[in-house]
Amino acid sequence: MSVAIGIDLGTSNSSVAVYRKGKVETIPIDGRKTMPSVISCKSDGQLLVGNSAKARLYIDPNNSIASSKRFIGSKDKVYNVQNTNVTPVDVARNILEKIRVEASKYIGEEVKDAVITIPAYFTDEQREATRKAGQLAGLNVLRLLSEPTAAAIAYGLDKERNQTIMVYDLGGGTFDVSILRVENNHFRVVAVDGDSMLGGDDFDDAIAEYLMSKMKVSGKVRKSSVGSTSVQQLKEAVEELKKELSESDYADIIIPDIFGSHLDEEIDIQTFNSLTEPLLKRTIDKMQEVLKEAGLTKNDISRVILVGGSTRMRAVQEMVAKQIKQPFIADNIDEIVAQGAAIMAANLSAPDLDSTPVPIEVEEVTSHSIGIGMVDMQTDVFRVYHLIKKNTKLPCTGGEIGYTIHPFQREIRFQVFRTESTVPSDESKIGELRLKVKRPQASPSCAVALFELDQSGILTFSSAEVKRESQIVRSFEDEGEMNIPLIESMIRSGELKTEKVVIDTNK
Ligand code: AMP
């Protein structure tokens, strides 16, 4: 059985680990425990990944890409480096390829199998794009595992005691908060929440914009790392300042000759905290929400674990202590997610060999609700009916029956939404499912649409035409909801033949 690795594909930094000979080890890349998630393309076409690319971010920002995980899964984001179009999936692929090659060298055999971690709050598109990047990088993606779950596995493996853990994960570009029940190496995620557009980068931007306004430079720091040299120079200096403020109460930022002037400022921790307070407040709101969704209070939490580089900020640690309880801060904060993924990878690749760690069971949940838009017969209002609710155990299936309304109608359409609300909106619409009616007829035809989320939280759609008098339709009309176990058993027995449907995302 080949060795499987665990990869933490981070917004700012990535890391990789392996479980072998009874212990988990972090695999160094270019001699370091983490690698910057940065790529850079030189004018001769040479592609650099990691440390060497990060060094070029400052001297050649227009041909270097950082923090692109923020845009993974977005159809519209395309970078242009050395006159070539590059998507966030391409960037992730290059990073993962380098990791695969380095891990193979370190382990001494070709590595293919991997568990890749993702923010718990990633949508289906973001998950699908990450898996695709892994496949393009030559990896066999055993599972996408959420980062907080991976951290809890690495943290909780040797702890026998049953406990309820909250994982607060603030990285460079994303924020996740999860609540897990851990019982004898059974890790059950109870609830997740988060914001995939909130991380350390936003703290940097807030300070950079404050300094720019002091220097009377108009404009916003672009979210993308591809920008002018001055903006990039300021962002880098601000990140250093932020890190210094994690240790001391004052820090200086001095940059000669920037935006046509000199920058020489002292920033104290109070100014830093007040400028970034709105960002911290957003994480507090999410913590309260996740407790509510889990039906728990802060007194039910046995342990809070901090994960992600941005939890080194003192304001984060103090806030968590005040809101919930004194947090646990791992020594290996940058490695813990990859290590948890490596333990999961060892379990998935060789579950019954002596070489695996203590067998673990992991149950994760859906991070968003998915539904379809339909007119409410009673009120005549178009609303969203949720088919799969947030925090449902993965894998799971939801379904709906559609009917033709007009004689000889050839298609049944569903509008699909990802939202916690029942009010449909353009932003929450994922796309449209069009189910072809094979034999259009004068009387109404029916089709069942199935929504399946796999263990990694990736969504697929399928459908089957069914007769009006079929058991599925009868039970749906009697009970007012789909009988999923019945459908699953009919699929298994071959009685119901479903076909995959591709969602049309041109809204
Ligand atoms: P990660 O994605 O977990 O590697 O986290 C990266 C983020 O952590 C970046 O935004 C860094 O600026 C931030 N970070 C790393 N070290 C520190 C520190 N000592 N104080 C504050 N933020 C930090």
Side-chain angles (χ1 to χ4, degrees), residues 146-380:
S146 68
E147 289 158 8
T149 308
I153 292 172
Y155 164 77
L157 197 65
D158 52 351
K159 316 276 185 308
E160 282 296 310
R161 204 158 50 88
N162 296 346
Q163 46 187 324
T164 304
I165 298 180
M166 176 185 271
V167 183
Y168 177 105
D169 180 356
L170 188 63
T174 56
F175 170 65
D176 270 338
V177 53
S178 293
I179 294 179
L180 293 101
R181 267 305 287 161
V182 185
E183 285 164 12
N184 300 325
N185 293 322
H186 184 149
F187 297 80
R188 183 167 60 86
V189 180
V190 184
V192 295
D193 218 311
D195 188 336
S196 47
M197 286 292 161
L198 176 62
D201 284 358
D202 299 284
F203 288 71
D204 301 343
D205 289 358
I207 307 302
E209 276 167 19
Y210 165 76
L211 291 169
M212 278 163 73
S213 75
K214 278 199 114 181
M215 294 177 78
K216 310 227 174 332
V217 178
S218 59
K220 292 250 165 202
V221 174
R222 285 199 281 154
K223 292 273 187 245
S224 147
S225 65
V226 179
S228 77
T229 307
S230 293
V231 170
Q232 195 51 47
Q233 196 180 3
L234 180 64
K235 277 187 70 161
E236 279 201 19
V238 162
E239 191 184 359
E240 285 314 309
L241 173 108
K242 174 183 75 175
K243 288 181 183 172
E244 235 178 293
L245 287 172
S246 294
E247 306 296 330
S248 64
D249 290 346
Y250 301 90
D252 290 323
I253 183 163
I254 302 169
I255 313 177
D257 195 14
I258 184 166
F259 300 117
S261 122
H262 298 296
L263 176 63
D264 184 354
E265 279 282 331
E266 181 187 82
I267 303 234
D268 60 25
I269 188 77
Q270 285 80 15
T271 309
F272 177 83
N273 287 350
S274 75
L275 287 169
T276 56
E277 199 199 271
L279 300 169
L280 211 55
K281 169 81 175 55
R282 278 163 64 189
T283 75
I284 299 178
D285 292 347
K286 292 288 176 192
M287 279 161 75
Q288 300 305 346
E289 267 171 51
V290 81
L291 276 174
K292 202 164 123 208
E293 285 164 16
L296 301 174
T297 70
K298 66 176 191 171
N299 299 329
D300 299 312
I301 303 293
S302 352
R303 188 64 109 162
V304 186
I305 306 178
L306 298 187
V307 189
S310 299
T311 59
R312 290 197 177 97
M313 284 186 282
R314 282 182 286 162
V316 169
Q317 299 173 3
E318 285 156 16
M319 176 280 290
V320 170
K322 198 163 146 219
Q323 294 287 325
I324 312 287
K325 58 167 44 182
Q326 196 62 40
F328 169 82
I329 306 162
D331 299 333
N332 55 348
I333 202 166
D334 298 320
E335 302 161 61
I336 191 167
V337 170
Q339 295 194 346
I343 296 167
M344 183 82 225
N347 262 272
L348 291 174
S349 65
D352 32 56
L353 289 187
D354 292 346
S355 60
T356 57
V358 190
I360 53 168
E361 269 177 67
V362 175
E363 275 181 29
E364 295 211 272
V365 295
T366 54
S367 48
H368 301 85
S369 299
I370 293 168
I372 53 154
M374 281 195 306
V375 176
D376 183 330
M377 292 303 193
Q378 256 129 47
T379 58
D380 224 21

